[in-house]
Amino acid sequence: MILSELISLDVLRVIWWLLLGVLLIGFALTDGFDLGVGALLPFVGKTDTERRVAINTVGPVWEGNQVWFILGGGAIFAAWPPLYAVSFSGFYLAMFAILAALILRPVAFKYRSKRDGHAWRNGWDWALFVGGAVPALIFGVAVGNVLQGVPFQLNDMLMPLYPGNFFIKFISLLNPFALLAGVVSISMLMMHGAAWLTLKTEGPVQLRARAIGSVAGMVAFVTYILAGVWLAFGIKGYTITSVVPDNGPSNPLFSTVEHGGSWLSAYSDRPWIAIAPILGLLGIALATMGLRAGREGSTLLLSKLGIFGVISSVGLTMFPFILPSSIQPDASLTVWDASSSQQTLFVMLVVTVIFMPLILAYTAWVYKVLWGKVTAEEVESDSHSY
């Protein structure tokens, strides 16, 4: 027996759907507070020293945290090639904006302290704000559009096509529901960044982070509920109406998809998935209360719980859909028809089983070594700090 046949294709597809979720959630939990701190930077730090304190809470770890984003993109490319092709084509300008912001962020980290001028440092501080706020917003906007369906087609050669004017299509991505999802995303990550600053700082920076973070948490809580209600009553869902062979070929056109009904019908089919939005709301609410009360470690953990619940709720609600098509529903990409081959998924799984524990162990060790608060005295006396 060939080793790759030890696990059936349908099981491998579900495993890699779960692993993709793990990578995206891992990115949100780690680099999410980096983005949140960047978005908060001009508001929690009023002096140069205060801003340096905030920057140095994430300075030693942001590069390692961003690896989760790279791993997620690599997993999409290798495990779900049609998803990579269709999404990166349809969201090209959005992806470019995210990458430009993520490129701007390390440049700002490295150049900010090279000169002492106020205008120089203030300009780079706003660059860090852009590098944090823009990706946090666009990630949510992208999720909002995915839930509505993306306007792509597949021809007989499975080549993705996006009919219509390029710039009009880009502007259409900024629709009200997608923008609401963007507000959920940026407010949630600002809350997460505030929870991190509460843990890692003290004094004025910590107090401002708590105040702003508690407001961001309330915004995230309310907008997440509004998005759920809108999704239930204003956004049509997608349903596979034909028999789909779980071990069949990766050809989306083999299935028949109906665009109608509600996404929330998934909760009547699989009631247990309701735990995800409950955890999302509970985590955000308790993290907000923790910020107001001044609790530190537990607040960050609860913030992570809220993010885990929110992101999980999207994936579980859409399953088995990964990227539905609004203009050609039968071309929608699902877990069952958009994956790589059985052998590819198996080899990737073996590599993941070997190296993922090493990555987690190394990450845990780094955080252990860097544990403790960042103080004004520390950054002023350390010539190597940002």
Side-chain angles (χ1 to χ4, degrees), residues 76-154:
I76 293 174
F77 174 78
W80 308 98
L83 174 62
Y84 182 89
V86 175
S87 61
F88 276 63
S89 298
F91 295 109
Y92 184 82
L93 287 180
M95 293 288 185
F96 182 84
I98 290 173
L99 291 176
L102 293 180
I103 291 171
L104 184 64
R105 184 169 62 156
V107 175
F109 273 124
K110 301 302 181 183
Y111 280 88
R112 182 194 185 277
S113 297
K114 298 299 183 182
R115 291 173 57 183
D116 293 330
H118 172 74
W120 172 269
R121 293 192 171 187
N122 188 60
W124 288 118
D125 288 339
W126 282 103
L128 287 170
F129 168 79
V130 171
V134 169
L137 177 66
I138 294 180
F139 285 137
V141 170
V143 171
N145 279 284
V146 169
L147 285 166
Q148 295 175 89
V150 180
F152 71 91
Q153 297 174 326
L154 294 178

Side-chain angles (χ1 to χ4, degrees), residues 191 194 209-219 287-289 291-292:
M191 175 197 71
R210 286 172 49 194
I212 299 173
S214 60
V215 173
M218 288 187 285
V219 171
T288 303
M289 294 169 61
L291 285 167
R292 294 177 66 87

Side-chain angles (χ1 to χ4, degrees), residues 113-359:
S113 297
K114 298 299 183 182
R115 291 173 57 183
D116 293 330
H118 172 74
W120 172 269
R121 293 192 171 187
N122 188 60
W124 288 118
D125 288 339
W126 282 103
L128 287 170
F129 168 79
V130 171
V134 169
L137 177 66
I138 294 180
F139 285 137
V141 170
V143 171
N145 279 284
V146 169
L147 285 166
Q148 295 175 89
V150 180
F152 71 91
Q153 297 174 326
L154 294 178
N155 62 19
D156 293 338
M157 300 296 291
L158 299 185
M159 179 184 295
L161 303 171
Y162 284 83
N165 183 277
F166 181 78
F167 291 100
I168 292 178
K169 289 183 294 182
F170 174 73
I171 294 173
S172 69
L173 296 178
L174 303 176
N175 56 77
F177 179 77
L179 291 174
L180 177 62
V183 173
V184 174
S185 176
I186 191 172
S187 59
M188 183 172 64
L189 294 186
M190 289 179 71
M191 175 197 71
H192 196 40
W196 175 255
L197 288 174
T198 299
L199 177 67
K200 295 288 290 182
T201 66
E202 55 189 17
V205 174
Q206 185 190 64
L207 292 175
R208 295 189 194 107
R210 286 172 49 194
I212 299 173
S214 60
V215 173
M218 288 187 285
V219 171
F221 186 87
V222 172
T223 52
Y224 181 56
I225 293 176
L226 288 176
V229 173
W230 195 336
L231 191 68
F233 300 104
I235 305 295
K236 293 181 180 180
Y238 291 77
T239 307
I240 300 176
T241 57
S242 60
V243 177
V244 180
D246 297 343
N247 287 292
S250 292
N251 188 337
L253 298 180
F254 280 4
S255 59
T256 303
V257 175
E258 177 183 345
H259 184 196
S262 172
W263 277 121
L264 271 63
S265 61
Y267 291 86
S268 60
D269 299 333
R270 307 185 300 274
W272 61 271
I273 68 175
I275 188 64
I278 291 174
L279 289 177
L281 290 171
L282 186 64
I284 292 173
L286 292 178
T288 303
M289 294 169 61
L291 285 167
R292 294 177 66 87
R295 291 189 289 270
E296 298 181 0
S298 60
T299 299
L300 182 63
L301 293 176
L302 290 167
S303 177
K304 290 178 182 290
L305 177 66
I307 292 173
F308 171 82
V310 169
I311 298 177
S312 298
S313 68
V314 176
L316 291 171
T317 298
M318 291 183 60
F319 184 85
F321 289 92
I322 304 176
L323 190 67
S325 169
S326 59
I327 59 176
Q328 187 187 1
D330 290 347
S332 299
L333 307 182
T334 73
V335 172
W336 312 125
D337 57 26
S339 74
S340 293
S341 68
Q342 184 174 0
Q343 183 175 2
T344 299
L345 296 180
F346 181 80
V347 172
M348 290 175 60
L349 181 60
V350 171
V351 173
T352 301
V353 169
I354 294 173
F355 287 101
M356 183 63 77
L358 297 177
I359 294 173

Side-chain angles (χ1 to χ4, degrees), residues 30 61 64-65 68 196 356-371:
T30 55
V61 297
N65 293 339
W68 289 95
W196 175 255
M356 183 63 77
L358 297 177
I359 294 173
L360 293 175
Y362 174 76
T363 301
W365 178 78
V366 168
Y367 278 94
K368 181 178 184 298
V369 170
L370 297 173
W371 195 253

